[in-house]
Amino acid sequence: MEKIAVTTHSRAEFIDITSHVNRVLEKQGVREGICCVYVPHTTAAVTINENADPSVRKDIINELDRLVPWNGHYTHGEGNAAAHIRATLVGSSVSAPISGGKLALGTWQGIYFCEFDGPRRREVFVQVISRE
Ligand code: ZN
């Protein structure tokens, strides 16, 4: 398993980690298989979405703000319940096929680390299953 370090700079932020994941595939020399990208945090997540128009990321963040307000009536004493809820809604892992040594993503797809309780130093775990 490989680890990718991610430093976030705001409370809520989507960071494109696609090139970092592809670098792991290159390093391991895997040509065909499945790649699992996993976030070992309870207030961050990972998703695959639009990599061309940054307004899509902004819209997702804004809509999560509306769905899960930062200052809702939560019971979690640490004060970051909204971040936990957002992390669960978005999810802690994604997987994608590997073809020709790269992630077989759609033209407009990228893998995004989703920060919901930043800024912080975070980690992403990448585990590759090769079918060679
Ligand atoms: Zn908490």
Side-chain angles (χ1 to χ4, degrees), residues 5-132:
V6 178
T7 301
T8 63
H9 299 96
S10 16
R11 188 186 210 179
E13 181 180 10
F14 281 28
I15 296 173
D16 189 344
I17 58 169
T18 313
S19 61
H20 300 268
V21 177
N22 273 323
R23 234 170 279 142
V24 169
L25 305 183
E26 277 168 37
K27 184 178 163 191
Q28 297 194 352
V30 179
R31 304 282 307 161
E32 300 290 323
I34 291 176
C35 179
C36 176
V37 179
Y38 179 81
V39 168
H41 302 290
T42 61
T43 55
V46 63
T47 193
I48 296 176
N49 214 301
E50 166 99 26
N51 67 357
D53 182 357
S55 69
V56 172
R57 270 168 275 155
K58 188 71 193 145
D59 285 340
I60 294 170
I61 288 170
N62 288 346
E63 199 59 16
L64 285 169
D65 283 350
R66 195 183 62 82
L67 288 168
V68 189
W70 295 113
N71 298 310
H73 297 286
Y74 307 115
T75 56
H76 180 48
E78 203 186 11
N80 61 356
H84 288 289
I85 295 165
R86 289 162 195 236
T88 277
L89 288 176
V90 176
S92 58
S93 72
V94 294
S95 62
I98 302 160
S99 180
K102 283 198 176 296
L103 293 164
L105 297 176
T107 307
W108 308 113
Q109 287 183 317
I111 301 180
Y112 288 89
F113 178 87
C114 310
E115 177 63 82
F116 297 120
D117 198 21
R120 291 188 190 217
R121 298 175 89 148
R122 301 287 205 173
E123 282 189 313
V124 176
F125 296 167
V126 179
Q127 182 69 278
V128 175
I129 302 169
S130 171
R131 65 168 280 247
E132 282 139 50

